Amino acid sequence: MMAKLTLEQKKDFMKKAAFIANNASCNYKVGCVGVIYDKDNSIDVSKMNDEFVKRKGDIVYVKSWNETLKGEIYCQSFDENGKRLCIREIENLKGRDFQKVCASHAEIGLIAKCAKYGIPTQDMIMFITNSPCIICSRAIVQAGFSEIYFMQKHTDVSGFRILVANNIKISQLEDIFDDNEN
């Protein structure tokens, strides 16, 4: 069971998600942080040799972002300035033509990284810059996440229905860089 995070901790993890989004190889910069309580220190992050898996006291957190992988059919070309040409932008897809979405979404990357290192996702809390699409929402349900915090809504909000129907708390966390709390 995850310990209750304070608003300050929630903002801190959301900031981590926002900053890690800059690592995205996809033009849609999405960052994600998964947080799990590990009071008995059963998760040894030092053996993982991954700078994006960390411990902060009794909390282990894992960072992920959107990635365009080698071998993808789309989004493999660059313009004269070195910017990746995005099929979603070229064809104005708005996140609905999923066979042309070539990035591995940050949520899927997070779940995969947890599986790789044996980090449990049951009752994990996710902080993500954009709310999950429907495909990622399905994976989040199956992985056992308990809560999702996001900054902005995805262009397709059909994933909300899946999350709510499976009793996953989903909340928008705004103004994370505003340190002037009332």
Side-chain angles (χ1 to χ4, degrees):
M1 175 98 177
M2 183 71 190
K4 184 135 177 90
L5 296 174
T6 66
L7 179 58
E8 183 179 317
Q9 288 173 308
K10 290 175 186 175
K11 285 185 173 187
D12 181 53
F13 287 118
M14 187 61 81
K15 286 177 187 176
K16 290 178 188 330
F19 288 127
I20 203 68
N22 286 325
N23 285 14
S25 56
C26 174
N27 289 348
Y28 286 84
K29 304 291 186 191
V30 178
C32 181
V33 174
V35 177
I36 190 81
Y37 186 63
D38 183 38
K39 185 177 180 178
D40 62 358
N41 291 312
S42 63
I43 303 169
D44 186 356
V45 299
S46 66
K47 293 182 178 178
M48 294 174 193
N49 197 28
D50 188 326
E51 65 180 302
F52 302 110
V53 179
K54 304 218 180 231
R55 173 176 291 283
K56 189 174 189 178
D58 291 342
I59 295 173
V60 171
Y61 62 97
V62 182
K63 300 177 186 179
S64 181
W65 52 89
N66 283 8
E67 290 189 82
T68 300
L69 305 174
K70 291 178 184 173
E72 293 287 354
I73 297 170
Y74 302 103
C75 301
Q76 294 302 310
S77 302
F78 296 85
D79 68 13
E80 63 277 356
N81 298 318
K83 181 184 177 202
R84 187 179 299 272
L85 297 175
C86 176
I87 193 71
R88 289 175 62 183
E89 291 173 356
I90 294 167
E91 295 187 9
N92 196 28
L93 297 177
K94 303 290 184 204
R96 289 185 174 78
D97 200 353
F98 289 112
Q99 74 272 16
K100 291 184 179 176
V101 175
C102 59
S104 173
H105 285 190
E107 303 95 320
I108 300 301
L110 175 68
I111 293 167
K113 192 176 279 194
C114 288
K116 178 181 178 179
Y117 295 127
I119 298 171
T121 54
Q122 186 65 44
D123 294 323
M124 186 175 261
I125 298 174
M126 180 182 290
F127 295 86
I128 188 155
T129 54
N130 285 45
S131 64
C133 71
I134 192 162
I135 293 172
C136 290
S137 293
R138 291 173 182 145
I140 288 166
V141 168
Q142 291 176 323
F145 284 80
S146 62
E147 296 178 57
I148 309 294
Y149 292 92
F150 67 94
M151 288 173 53
Q152 297 177 331
K153 287 184 181 174
H154 188 278
T155 55
D156 178 9
V157 294
S158 57
F160 282 91
R161 182 178 73 330
I162 301 292
L163 296 169
V164 171
N166 286 279
N167 299 315
I168 296 175
K169 179 183 172 189
I170 183 161
S171 305
Q172 191 165 12
L173 191 59
E174 301 174 285
D175 303 322
I176 63 165
F177 294 101
D178 180 15
D179 291 329
N180 299 323
E181 299 292 322
N182 293 337

